């Protein structure tokens, strides 16, 4: 539609100009002594139009001739830019195809072309760090500009260089510079501090960085737990060696972290290894009063005291966790220690179904050493455990086995012991 209107307007203008041009009947006299010129008005208009178009064409030609060197320079710049982009693309393709030499060669070519030289140097440094090529990484770092935003990028790569090649001095200097600079996002800086603390086993710095990343939603919960489970034992050991009380140290930790069973289990194991079993039992008792966690019970097993209070506490969680082998193992060890043979038989049968390997390990540790193949409840009722194959391969040396793979001295199955406890066993299965 625009084209039609433009053509229509041009036609109307041409007709109007032709009609006006026909009405011109005057003349123009130009005097240049001793010369005199007389021109009609129509010829003068035509000459003026001709001069306008010719002058415009001459000026365009002169401008093009004068601007030729600049145009050539721009064309060369565009060609170099395209070559640099092609080189960067080749570097990416080579890296994706697992050809680092191809990538390094393309990045060197892009750096020499000067277009995107800083980006090429940064990419070359990243690639060199990935393949642990210290010489290439050092050369690429030297090529990155130390001004503007590239300074912050250079500091980040400097910190990663210190991490990869264990240059502690350069790592600490880069982290300090990043904290002062402020141009890098906090998550990037804290991620570097987390990696540095983990690799250098500076767990206080690692845990602090993990907490900040968690507040920014930049660290998944499993990764945070992995760091915390390693950091808490180290920090607790250091606090105990500095004669700081466990209660004061534990209360200084964030409340939400004190509710995580993985962290509580790690702290319990550390307390046991540091010779503080009473503190471990108290911490587990406090935690298990609020909720049940298999991790806490598993960490508590080696130092679990044989007391009726612990039996009552763990049996409270049996209804909701009847298929938890750790809970049945703890209850089995407690009932054996308290000589509650009926309950012990039920928990052993349940544990044998849930985790046969764990059941045989418990049998080897607690049952067999007492009287070879005779179980504790056998001495009380002259009856054996209903599952006749439960002690096979559990004792190791000293257990005589019959040709059918059953214990040779084990009599047929019988009912529960007569002189144990009066209440029914909640976990025992009827034959």
């Amino acid at each position: 539609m625009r084209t039609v209107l433009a053509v229509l307007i041009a036609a109307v203008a041409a007709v109007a100009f032709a009609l006006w041009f026909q009405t011109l009947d005057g003349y123009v006299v130009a005097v240049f002594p001793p010369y005199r010129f007389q021109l009609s008005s129509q010829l003068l208009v035509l000459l003026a139009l001709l001069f306008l178009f010719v002058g415009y064409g001459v000026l365009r030609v002169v401008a093009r001739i004068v601007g030729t060197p600049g145009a050539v320079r721009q064309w060369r710049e565009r060609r170099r830019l395209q070559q640099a982009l092609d080189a960067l693309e080749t570097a990416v393709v080579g890296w994706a195809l697992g050809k680092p030499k191809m990538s390094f060669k393309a990045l060197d070519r892009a750096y020499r072309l000067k277009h995107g030289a800083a980006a090429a140097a940064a990419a070359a440094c990243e690639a060199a760090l990935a393949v642990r090529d210290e010489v290439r990484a050092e050369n690429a770092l030297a090529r990155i500009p130390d001004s503007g935003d590239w300074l912050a990028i250079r500091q980040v790569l400097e910190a990663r260089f210190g991490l990869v090649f264990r240059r502690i001095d350069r790592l600490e200097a880069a982290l300090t510079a990043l904290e002062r600079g402020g141009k890098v996002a906090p998550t990037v800086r804290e991620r570097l501090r987390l990696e540095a603390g983990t690799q250098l086993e500076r767990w206080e710095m690692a845990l602090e960085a993990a907490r900040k990343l968690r507040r920014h939603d930049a660290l998944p919960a499993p990764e945070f737990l992995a760091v915390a489970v390693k950091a808490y034992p180290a920090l607790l050991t250091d606090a105990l060696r500095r004669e700081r009380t466990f209660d004061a140290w534990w209360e200084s930790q964030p409340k939400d972290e004190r509710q995580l069973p993985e962290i509580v289990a790690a702290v319990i194991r550390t307390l046991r290894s540091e010779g503080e079993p009473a503190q471990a039992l108290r911490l587990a008792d406090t935690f298990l009063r609020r909720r049940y966690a298999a991790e806490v019970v598993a960490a508590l097993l080696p130092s679990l005291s044989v007391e009726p209070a612990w039996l009552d506490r763990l049996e409270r969680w049996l209804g909701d966790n009847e298929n938890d082998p750790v809970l049945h193992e703890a209850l089995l060890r407690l009932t054996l220690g308290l000589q509650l043979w009926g309950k012990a038989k039920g928990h052993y049968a349940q544990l044998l179904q849930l985790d046969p390997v764990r059941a045989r390990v418990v049998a080897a540790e607690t049952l067999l050493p007492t009287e070879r193949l005779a179980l504790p409840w056998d001495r009380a009722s002259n009856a054996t455990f209903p599952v006749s194959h439960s002690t096979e391969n559990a004792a190791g040396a000293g257990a005589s086995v019959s040709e059918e793979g059953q214990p040779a001295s084990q009599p047929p199955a019988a009912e529960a012991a007569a002189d144990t406890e009066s209440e029914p066993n909640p976990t025992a299965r009827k034959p």
Side-chain angles (χ1 to χ4, degrees):
M1 188 65 183
R2 287 185 177 182
T3 304
V4 175
L5 291 176
V7 172
L8 182 61
I9 292 173
V12 171
V15 171
F17 178 78
L19 294 175
W20 173 77
F21 192 73
Q22 290 179 356
T23 60
L24 293 177
D25 52 0
Y27 61 91
V28 176
V29 177
V31 178
F32 294 97
Y35 303 103
R36 177 188 176 94
F37 301 96
Q38 183 175 346
L39 302 174
S40 65
S41 301
Q42 296 175 343
L43 181 59
L44 180 63
V45 170
L46 291 176
L47 289 176
L49 292 175
L50 179 63
F51 177 78
L52 178 64
F53 285 109
V54 172
Y56 175 75
V58 171
L59 290 177
R60 285 294 302 272
V61 171
V62 172
R64 180 65 61 86
I65 294 173
V66 173
T68 297
V72 172
R73 283 194 301 270
Q74 292 179 0
W75 176 79
R76 289 178 177 176
E77 290 293 324
R78 288 195 300 270
R79 187 178 66 174
R80 282 196 291 266
L81 176 60
Q82 186 61 44
Q83 290 176 349
L85 292 176
D86 293 340
L88 291 174
E89 182 178 351
T90 302
V92 173
V93 172
W95 186 258
L97 296 178
K99 300 178 179 178
K101 292 184 178 180
M102 174 181 173
S103 298
F104 287 129
K105 184 177 180 180
L107 290 171
D108 289 340
R109 185 167 66 253
Y111 180 80
R112 289 194 300 270
L113 290 171
K114 302 302 180 183
H115 285 282
C125 183
E126 287 278 4
L129 291 174
V131 299
R132 304 184 71 86
D133 190 338
E134 186 173 358
V135 177
R136 287 184 183 274
E138 189 75 58
N139 294 335
L141 271 176
R143 293 177 174 181
I144 300 176
D146 55 356
S147 60
D149 293 337
W150 288 110
L151 176 60
I153 296 175
R154 180 171 181 172
Q155 291 170 351
V156 171
L157 293 175
E158 187 80 22
R160 293 195 57 200
F161 180 89
L163 275 174
V164 173
F165 300 109
R166 309 288 292 184
R167 301 291 187 85
I168 309 302
D169 52 343
R170 298 178 64 168
L171 171 62
E172 293 178 345
L175 290 176
T176 303
L178 285 173
E179 291 178 359
R180 290 198 306 262
K183 290 187 176 182
V184 179
T187 54
V188 176
R189 183 177 65 250
E190 297 304 326
R191 176 66 71 171
L192 287 171
R193 295 182 69 243
L194 173 60
E195 295 179 3
T198 304
Q199 289 191 16
L200 303 177
E201 296 185 354
R202 298 180 180 178
W203 296 112
E204 186 173 1
M205 179 174 69
L207 186 59
E208 180 185 358
R211 287 168 177 167
K212 291 182 179 179
L213 288 172
R214 190 185 181 191
R215 285 197 293 268
H216 286 90
D217 294 330
L219 189 67
E223 293 186 22
F224 174 79
L225 274 179
V227 175
V229 167
K230 294 179 180 178
Y232 265 81
L235 296 179
L236 175 57
T237 302
D238 182 65
L240 293 177
R241 290 177 181 175
R242 287 189 285 109
E243 298 183 355
R244 187 180 180 184
T245 61
F246 169 74
D247 293 335
W249 176 84
W250 184 244
E251 291 297 328
S252 66
Q253 306 306 316
K255 185 176 180 180
D256 58 335
E257 295 178 12
R258 285 183 282 150
Q259 308 301 322
L260 297 176
E262 295 85 357
I263 294 178
V264 174
V267 172
I268 290 174
R269 288 191 293 267
T270 306
L271 288 172
R272 287 196 350 253
S273 64
E274 293 294 327
E276 298 285 345
Q279 293 282 9
L281 285 171
R282 189 160 57 86
L283 176 61
D285 182 29
T286 304
F287 184 87
L288 292 174
R289 287 180 186 274
R290 294 189 300 268
R291 54 176 294 196
Y292 173 78
E295 298 89 345
V296 176
V297 177
L300 185 64
L301 278 177
S303 58
L304 185 61
S305 59
V306 182
E307 297 176 358
W310 276 105
L311 180 62
D312 296 338
R313 189 165 300 122
L314 293 179
E315 281 183 342
R316 285 193 313 159
W317 304 107
L318 191 58
D320 298 331
N321 305 277
E322 60 180 356
N323 293 325
D324 185 5
V326 177
L327 181 57
H328 282 287
E329 179 184 354
L331 289 170
L332 175 59
R333 293 178 182 273
L334 282 173
T335 51
L336 285 174
L338 296 172
Q339 298 184 3
L340 302 176
W341 312 127
K343 288 186 176 182
K345 288 169 61 178
H347 292 302
Y348 185 79
Q350 191 73 12
L351 183 60
L352 193 63
Q353 291 183 358
L354 296 174
D355 193 343
V357 176
R358 185 187 295 269
R360 285 168 171 77
V361 169
V362 176
E365 291 178 352
T366 61
L367 304 181
L368 295 179
T370 59
E371 193 176 333
R372 292 299 181 181
L373 295 177
L375 303 184
W377 44 78
D378 296 341
R379 300 192 300 272
S381 61
N382 292 324
T384 57
F385 182 65
V387 183
S388 60
H389 64 275
S390 61
T391 56
E392 180 184 351
N393 295 331
S400 60
V401 182
S402 64
E403 294 180 356
E404 291 79 12
Q406 304 295 330
S409 63
Q410 196 169 16
E415 295 296 328
D419 59 343
T420 56
E421 65 275 14
S422 59
E423 67 273 16
N425 182 9
T427 60
R429 296 180 179 270
K430 294 182 180 180

